[in-house]
Amino acid sequence: MNSVKPLSELTTIRVGGTPAEIFEAKTRDDLIEHTLGVWRSGEDWLVLGGGSNLVVSDDVENLRVIKVANLGIEPVRNRDESRVVVRVQAGESWDGFVAHTIAAGLAGIEAMSGIPGTVGAAPVQNIGAYGQELSDTMVRLEFLDYVTHEVAILEAKDLQFGYRDSAIKRGRPGVITWVEFELQNLDGLSRPLYSTQIAADLGVAMGAQVPLADVRNSVLKLRANKGMALSDADPDSVSCGSFFTNPIVSDKVARTLPEDAPRYENEEDDGLTVKLSAAWLIENAGIQKGYRIAGSKAAISSKHTLAIVNTGGATAEEILQLATYVQTRVSNKFAINLVPEPNLVGFSHA
Ligand SMILES: Cc1cc2nc3c(=O)[nH]c(=O)nc-3n(C[C@H](O)[C@H](O)[C@H](O)COP(=O)(O)OP(=O)(O)OC[C@H]3O[C@@H](n4cnc5c(N)ncnc54)[C@H](O)[C@@H]3O)c2cc1C
């Protein structure tokens, strides 16, 4: 067993009490063996990666934490001359893996540069940014299933990916031990750009293919400007990134909003529903960047209305209080329910 730190030191929003145990699993076999032991004990448990999508209660003294720290990146097979399947152990840093693929000239995840956290957590909410999603390239993963206590190989289709969503997030508990991705060698170029922001920043047309490193540099810059890249120098990055997902609503509901409310076609259901901008809804419900409830150490980021920031010493309750306030304002003004993106752990009322 390792020393027990408060989870505020292991989560990017820096809240969370001290659990009963933190076990750091440095190999796949350790991860499986220890997790099975914890499950057999019947005690409360939490799988922890980089802690960048978690808000943990200040009171978690009975929780047993399994910190995923198994490392390794290896090509496992070549589909053909230009496509390679790479297996990545769950404890690898996501952004480290992206940098690795770019150095190797492999395209497919370059626009997801700078997303914090581990590779093992990435499928849980089907991470995505700037026109790419994990589900575009993930082939399969190894999963220790809480229900069966057995190891299974899950194919991408088994995970029923959606926008910031997967079968695991919706309630299939377990532990991902490794993940396989299929990446492409496009002679050092990116996949066709699907982000207006990257295209505008690089001065190229949508759909253009540009050197992989250019995409990475552009994304890292765009992220830093929004406080969406972890940095000790940026107090706005003491967050979970976006605190709310963009609501997906019927066309009928979308039509009740003012004309200038941004609407995006939801590709997942052939346009039957519409994706709205949570940031627009929050701003237009009257909550501005930098807002905080009087006396609270939780605030809206000064760079992006979607992020809730710990300005220093906030409690988990203060973070949730601000989140609830935002939800109430948006619901009162637009009758739309904002859904938190991070996983909330140990709150009886969450
Ligand atoms: C500044 C900032 C910017 C961000 N930008 C983005 C973005 O652009 N796009 C995006 O999608 N997300 C973004 N995020 C959210 C976050 O980075 C991702 O959700 C990331 O995948 C979380 O990884 P993690 O290792 O930190 O997971 P954790 O926070 O440790 O865990 C998240 C959840 O996954 C579970 N989990 C962790 N590891 C495993 C495993 N091996 N097996 C099973 N379950 C596991 C945990 O129990 C928990 O429920 C951002 C966060 C921050 C702080």
Side-chain angles (χ1 to χ4, degrees), residues 47 49-53 116-118 121 125 127-128 174 176 223 228 239-241 343:
V47 189
S52 64
N53 211 23
T118 55
Q125 73 153 6
I127 60 167
I176 295 166
R223 285 188 158 276
M228 287 291 178
S239 77
C240 299
N343 299 273

Side-chain angles (χ1 to χ4, degrees), residues 10-13 31 45-54 68 70 90-91 94 114-130 143 164 168 174-177 223 227-230 236-242 341 343 345:
L10 297 171
T11 55
T12 56
I13 198 162
L31 180 58
W45 56 282
L46 170 70
V47 189
L48 177 70
S52 64
N53 211 23
L54 276 171
V68 180
N70 51 321
W94 171 261
I115 299 182
T118 55
V119 168
V124 175
Q125 73 153 6
N126 184 23
I127 60 167
Y130 298 101
F143 187 66
R164 294 303 156 273
I168 297 174
V175 184
I176 295 166
T177 64
R223 285 188 158 276
M228 287 291 178
L230 287 184
D236 278 320
S237 73
V238 184
S239 77
C240 299
S242 302
E341 184 184 298
N343 299 273
V345 174

Side-chain angles (χ1 to χ4, degrees), residues 43 56 89 92 113 134 138 183 187 268 280 290 332 347:
E43 291 167 291
V56 182
Q89 299 295 311
E92 283 285 348
S113 291
L134 172 122
M138 200 215 89
L183 301 167
D187 295 326
E268 280 153 27
W280 186 95
N332 287 348
F347 299 96

